């Protein structure tokens, strides 16, 4: 903990992150005890500003948390009407029929939603119950008690100058203390990383794996719109270069959510997930959807893909990891919001029982047990081999063998193949540039495909320029001395926002960080081969301002 003197506020439970996990926890706590003091701290300028998801929502989480969500006007109205799965080749596609697909991949009864708007609605429900929600409040530190337990967080520090000194308008922020602290920051959260490292929460699990999801929202012509249609693709343009695929979800108001996920364990440092996404939209089976339409929003974020075997220990002294902070995404279903909600509910119930019994600041073992053995564990254990199969053997083998494994799990409750390991981290998977050839990506046409900086302007991202960059280098020499000569400077390609550049003449290159472009996807923190880039929170309210992602 730093030596800055700060005022402190006391709560029963402090929750970091106003996403589906954090808001579910807050709602459930107040449902169980209306007098419980609960606060939610959100780094975005408003609830939903930093939420980006596909999203097709399995309503199981909402059903458990707010059974009358339909009557209460939740923005969950577009039921899936058609479920399509395509394997793309450069000039055509093969449609996979639905009948051989494992039942768990069926989207019947699910909804196309904007999770940003769902979270805004959930925040309204939470506030109606008496939850305090403070947006624009970045949480920069964990606060520890006398016995090493987490007892709170530091939130709302403003006014640090570019050189790291305290400016004239410096505000030290506050310490918010709780009997329990829930970290619901999403993927690769900075406080979650601190807790995992301090308490060794990942000592007994497999390495975590990630993908980069990039998304655009389009207004399209009514004649091209098919309300409730869901399309997933695999294959081209990634081919053997990387695992991944796309989604097209037809939402209300003649909008389509189009996105592209690239697994971050790719080997070729010349690969650009952003450019693969832009190229994908030109496929002859995809491009007609967007003809005459216009892109109205853009964003990106990392996705946890490790699955059941990569879930760290979720409870630690004084708190717990919720939702994507623990990695609860079902990869083949491309869904994690339902599990995030269920994890928030489970953590709330464990904390309420502990506080009612006179406990505080200990480990909520009941929460871990519920996640591993309850609905979340049952959802994830059935699909735990899909990702390692794909990584080892490629698309076709993962479809055939992985499909068989999921069918077996659907019928008998556990995978046929036991539990496969992931092996290397995504950073370690990056190979030296000399083993690969540069990829010649087509130039953006400004109609279907766009350059990165133009697209970033559609994310609403903004960072105050008089603060230090929130993207830290452990060693300032490594980008030019190692990453550029050995790996061809992959950060200039894996970042979907153009944050990283190598500028200057050959032999005199310098590494430039354009932190103001950052959309908080965390890819740099994950994929940098030397793990030299550390993503930290900027001051509160900075970053993207997504309207309806």
């Amino acid at each position: 903990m730093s030596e800055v003197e700060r005022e402190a506020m006391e709560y029963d439970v402090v929750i970091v992150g106003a996403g589906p996990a954090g808001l579910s926890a807050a709602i459930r706590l107040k449902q169980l005890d209306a007098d419980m003091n609960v606060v939610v701290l959100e780094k975005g300028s408003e609830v939903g500003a930093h939420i980006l998801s596909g999203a097709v929502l399995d309503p199981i989480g909402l059903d458990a948390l707010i059974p009358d969500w339909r009557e209460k006007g939740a923005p969950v109205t577009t039921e899936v009407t058609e479920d399509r799965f395509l394997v793309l080749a450069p000039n055509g596609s093969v449609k996979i029929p639905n009948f051989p697909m494992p039942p768990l991949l069926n989207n019947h009864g699910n909804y196309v939603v904007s999770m940003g708007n769902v979270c805004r609605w959930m925040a309204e429900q939470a506030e109606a119950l008496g939850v305090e929600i403070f947006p624009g409040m970045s949480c920069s530190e964990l606060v520890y008690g006398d016995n090493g337990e987490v007892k709170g967080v530091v939130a709302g520090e403003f006014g640090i100058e570019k050189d790291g000194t305290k400016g004239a308008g410096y505000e030290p922020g506050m310490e918010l203390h709780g009997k329990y602290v829930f970290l619901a920051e999403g993927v690769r959260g900075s406080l979650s990383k601190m807790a995992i490292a301090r308490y060794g929460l990942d000592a007994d699990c497999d390495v975590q794996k990630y993908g980069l999801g990039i998304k655009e929202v389009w207004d399209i012509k009514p004649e091209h719109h098919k309300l409730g249609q869901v399309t997933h693709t695999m294959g081209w343009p990634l081919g053997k270069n990387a695992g991944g695929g796309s989604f097209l979800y037809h939402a209300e108001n003649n909008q389509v959510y189009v996105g592209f996920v690239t697994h971050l364990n790719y080997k070729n440092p010349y690969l650009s997930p952003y450019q693969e996404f832009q190229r994908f939209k030109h496929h002859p089976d995809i491009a007609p959807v967007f003809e005459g339409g216009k892109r109205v929003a853009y964003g990106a974020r990392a996705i946890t893909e490790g699955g059941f075997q990569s879930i760290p220990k979720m409870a630690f002294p004084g708190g717990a990891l919720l939702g994507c902070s623990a990695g609860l995404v079902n990869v083949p279903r491309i869904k994690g919001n339902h599990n995030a909600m269920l994890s928030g509910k489970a953590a709330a119930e464990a904390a309420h029982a502990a506080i009612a019994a006179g406990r505080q600041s200990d480990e909520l073992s009941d929460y871990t047990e519920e996640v591993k053995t309850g609905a979340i564990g049952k959802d994830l254990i059935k699909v735990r081999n899909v990702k390692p199969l794909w990584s080892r053997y490629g698309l076709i083998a993962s479809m055939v063998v992985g499909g068989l494994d999921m069918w077996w799990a659907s019928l008998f409750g556990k995978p046929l193949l036991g539990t496969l390991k992931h092996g290397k981290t995504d950073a370690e998977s990056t190979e030296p540039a000399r083993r690969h050839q540069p990829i010649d990506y087509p130039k953006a046409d400004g109609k279907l495909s766009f350059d990165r900086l133009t697209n970033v302007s559609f994310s609403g991202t903004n960072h105050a320029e008089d603060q230090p960059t929130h993207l830290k280098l452990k060693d300032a020499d490594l980008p030019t001395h190692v990453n550029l000569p050995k790996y061809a400077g992959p950060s200039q390609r894996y970042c979907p926002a153009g944050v990283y550049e190598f500028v200057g003449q050959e032999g005199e290159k310098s590494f430039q960080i354009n932190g103001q472009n950052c959309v908080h996807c965390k890819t740099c923190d994950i994929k940098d081969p030397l793990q030299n880039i550390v993503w930290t929170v900027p001051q509160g309210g900075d970053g993207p301002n997504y309207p309806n992602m």
Side-chain angles (χ1 to χ4, degrees), residues 11-16 39 41 152-153 176-178 180-183:
Y11 290 89
D12 289 310
V13 180
V14 175
I15 301 171
V16 181
V39 64
L41 305 166
V153 297
L176 291 95
H177 298 166
Y180 294 98
V181 176
F182 291 166
L183 301 181

Side-chain angles (χ1 to χ4, degrees), residues 208-209 304-311 326-327 329 331 380 384 387 422:
Q208 188 57 265
K209 305 295 286 184
T304 52
E305 295 186 339
F308 186 84
Q309 57 267 57
S310 297
I311 299 174
V329 172
V331 174
L380 296 180
R384 60 184 172 184
K387 171 66 175 176
H422 292 301

Side-chain angles (χ1 to χ4, degrees), residues 234-258:
M234 300 166 69
W236 188 89
L238 290 173
K240 295 182 179 179
N241 279 327
S246 80
F247 61 83
L248 281 89
Y249 301 154
H250 289 247
E252 60 268 22
N253 302 319
N254 292 320
Q255 284 196 328
V256 165
Y257 305 153
V258 55

